[in-house]
Amino acid sequence: MKIQKQQLEDLNKSGISDHKTKFDFLTQSLSKDGTDVENIINKLAEFQVAIPSWALGAGGTRFGRFSYGGEPASLEQKIEDIGLIHSLTQTAGAVSLHIPWDVPNDYQAIKELAALNKIKFDAVNSNTFQDQKDQKETYKYGSLSNTSAAVREQAIAHNKEVIEIGNKLGSKSLTVWLADGASFPGQNNFQTALTHTQNSLIDIYEDMPADWKMFIEYKPYEPYFYSTVIQDWGTSLMLANGCGERAYTLVDLGHHLPNTNIEQIVSILMLKGKLGGFHFNDSKYGDDDITVGSIKPYALFLIFNELVYGMQNNPQNPELGWMIDASHNLKDPLEDLIQSLEAIQEAYAKALLIDQNALRAAQEAHDVTRCQEILQEAYRTDVRPLVREARLQTGGVINPIAAYRKLEVREQLIKERGKNTIATGL
Ligand code: RM4
Ligand code: MN
Ligand code: MN
């Protein structure tokens, strides 16, 4: 299925006058306060978030998986799905591939298809948390950290192959998420596991082309229950520093224990020029991978405040690789992604509204009440007209979920692909 430009224009006709009224009203009041609305719209329009190739089908839990009709059965169909989301939102202009779930057969054809859908290839992700068919060594007891040199070598070789695949597609970064850990005290020697991991990562790092970056994720637990080799941002940063300048920490919002101050982590990493990648999702208990902004929208806003501050004040930090890392098993995955994109844009817009000069003055005056007021003034603003305007200016639709339903995208996909297709992923 492909959405035509004319269809988008027709969809916008009915909502345009209502949008204009709301947008003009908001622009007027913001401009009066000295906000540069055009600058915010431009920033929103530029902001692109990669869609992971495993989020386009229904995700499972460890108890089961309920498939959603019309799931993409091939990489081609996954790229087409992202193309659909991108044409509605104009915010999803990239795909992040997980290897070996999504190895292209015909590179030229995949590149052409992606270009046709205006999709770029973002970070490639390696997978040493599952055994693959015909694989010689098992990752049951770890991969890059394993006590067996043969297992480590196999895992290193896999990462190098992922770099090669990404390189052929135009990717410029490798994301390593390591499941390695232990489920029982005494199972692993912490120091040996970390040393092996560092050495394995250095080997992979040295194999990357000179213009590539490595992103190292961390996560406190899961799949193992007692310890994880890369459990927190400190360990990730240490490993990144041990690899070299082009290795960075990646923050995944779901990879923290409850109540962790994620915005502070973001801020410190950016100060050190070491925040490379960012995975969006939301959670209540653990790595729940649910829709961005659905549980803790204020926390997301505070995180964006630090991201905006860092982007404006930390030239030592590179441009970030943004990705949605969510996949859930109840909603239509494409609707879920659209809602996530919307939540990201809203949090970003609200953070851009914060009066940074006033905030600094209030901080220096130790006016704590005023500090809070300044943040909440921005947070309480309904920024949706700004997000809609950015979408309109770039050729998207005013209301992507309504458009998705009106165009009967899911029904159409089921017709084309059938009810029982299953996408690769978790
Ligand atoms: C992990 C981590 C990685 C993702 C896998 C599927 O928890 O978030 O980024 O690639 O899940
Ligand atoms: Mn992640
Ligand atoms: Mn995760």
Side-chain angles (χ1 to χ4, degrees):
M1 175 181 187
K2 190 136 181 61
I3 302 173
Q4 305 303 328
K5 213 163 162 254
Q6 189 57 48
Q7 287 176 291
L8 298 175
E9 282 166 16
D10 291 346
L11 282 163
N12 283 337
K13 266 185 204 139
S14 61
I16 194 79
S17 92
D18 186 44
H19 164 67
K20 282 283 168 230
T21 311
K22 289 179 176 149
F23 177 66
D24 290 345
F25 180 75
L26 181 60
T27 305
Q28 257 177 28
S29 57
L30 289 175
S31 305
K32 236 190 282 154
D33 297 341
T35 305
D36 183 349
V37 173
E38 205 184 305
N39 178 45
I40 295 182
I41 306 275
N42 291 341
K43 288 220 153 77
L44 294 175
E46 277 165 24
F47 199 78
Q48 297 296 315
V49 186
I51 304 295
S53 58
W54 63 95
L56 300 154
T61 69
R62 73 197 167 93
F63 296 106
R65 177 170 172 160
F66 305 95
S67 117
Y68 216 90
E71 287 188 25
S74 64
L75 179 54
E76 283 77 2
Q77 293 183 349
K78 289 182 175 185
I79 289 176
E80 276 164 19
D81 278 9
I82 299 174
L84 292 173
I85 303 176
H86 190 44
S87 66
L88 295 173
T89 64
Q90 294 300 317
T91 313
V95 57
S96 188
L97 297 189
H98 221 300
I99 309 297
W101 290 335
D102 295 292
V103 183
N105 296 321
D106 180 341
Y107 283 84
Q108 201 43 41
I110 282 291
K111 274 163 82 170
E112 278 165 23
L113 181 67
L116 197 70
N117 285 281
K118 303 200 172 62
I119 305 293
K120 295 199 181 101
F121 290 94
D122 213 84
V124 274
N125 304 264
S126 57
N127 176 341
T128 58
F129 48 87
Q130 293 171 321
D131 283 347
Q132 305 304 326
K133 218 170 46 186
D134 306 326
Q135 181 179 302
K136 206 158 151 250
E137 309 288 340
T138 176
Y139 295 135
K140 181 168 177 185
Y141 301 109
S143 58
L144 298 181
S145 75
N146 203 303
T147 48
S148 150
V151 177
R152 294 199 303 276
E153 270 156 33
Q154 177 181 283
I156 292 168
H158 164 70
N159 275 276
K160 290 182 179 174
E161 195 195 330
V162 172
I163 296 171
E164 213 179 293
I165 292 170
N167 205 24
K168 284 197 230 165
L169 294 167
S171 292
K172 294 280 175 226
S173 46
L174 168 75
T175 297
V176 179
W177 171 64
L178 219 56
D180 293 28
S183 277
F184 299 97
Q187 184 187 331
N188 279 352
N189 178 298
F190 297 134
Q191 296 188 7
T192 310
L194 190 66
T195 307
H196 282 322
T197 302
Q198 178 75 79
N199 291 337
S200 302
L201 286 172
I202 290 174
D203 195 336
I204 299 163
Y205 179 85
E206 280 170 359
D207 190 66
M208 289 195 312
D211 58 346
W212 270 55
K213 294 182 213 154
M214 177 189 273
F215 301 149
I216 303 171
E217 274 191 85
Y218 57 90
K219 172 156 142 172
Y221 77 98
E222 198 195 37
Y224 300 107
F225 304 118
Y226 169 64
S227 75
T228 303
V229 179
I230 313 180
Q231 59 157 335
D232 58 11
W233 67 280
T235 312
S236 160
L237 179 61
M238 201 158 63
L239 292 166
N241 282 335
C243 285
E245 242 174 61
R246 289 176 292 116
Y248 301 89
T249 294
L250 183 150
V251 170
D252 180 316
L253 292 180
H255 293 192
H256 302 87
L257 294 173
N259 303 331
T260 300
N261 190 332
I262 303 176
E263 54 270 31
Q264 190 173 7
I265 297 173
V266 164
S267 165
I268 304 305
L269 286 170
M270 289 187 93
L271 176 68
K272 295 292 169 195
K274 277 293 184 185
L275 182 61
F278 205 91
H279 285 180
F280 292 103
N281 48 56
D282 210 344
S283 64
K284 177 79 177 159
Y285 300 108
D287 191 21
D288 308 338
D289 277 346
I290 51 179
T291 327
V292 182
S294 62
I295 309 270
K296 293 172 287 197
Y298 193 63
L300 182 66
F301 161 74
L302 295 177
I303 291 162
F304 255 108
N305 175 33
E306 297 306 332
L307 290 167
V308 165
Y309 183 89
M311 290 192 274
Q312 286 169 358
N313 297 287
N314 302 138
Q316 66 274 31
N317 201 77
E319 270 187 31
L320 278 100
W322 310 103
M323 190 190 92
I324 292 177
D325 193 359
S327 105
H328 210 55
N329 61 356
L330 297 178
K331 281 189 265 174
D332 175 334
L334 299 186
E335 292 194 343
D336 189 59
L337 288 163
I338 291 171
Q339 289 181 315
S340 283
L341 289 165
E342 192 106 22
I344 292 168
Q345 289 270 358
E346 270 180 42
Y348 185 29
K350 288 181 182 201
L352 286 167
L353 280 185
I354 296 170
D355 186 339
Q356 294 290 346
N357 293 332
L359 184 59
R360 190 154 319 155
Q363 287 168 343
E364 276 160 22
H366 306 300
D367 188 344
V368 186
T369 303
R370 179 91 190 103
C371 292
Q372 181 178 327
E373 286 299 304
I374 290 165
L375 289 187
Q376 299 213 343
E377 176 67 25
Y379 182 72
R380 289 170 181 152
T381 310
D382 183 356
V383 293
R384 287 174 300 174
L386 303 179
V387 174
R388 293 183 191 125
E389 181 63 21
R391 261 201 306 269
L392 265 181
Q393 287 189 13
T394 46
V397 289
I398 297 174
N399 186 338
I401 287 284
Y404 182 88
R405 293 201 166 183
K406 199 141 202 192
L407 293 170
E408 301 187 328
V409 176
R410 182 53 58 185
E411 290 78 357
Q412 200 59 37
L413 292 176
I414 291 176
K415 234 185 258 161
E416 282 172 20
R417 300 170 181 171
K419 192 110 191 78
N420 300 318
T421 51
I422 293 181
T424 45
L426 283 176

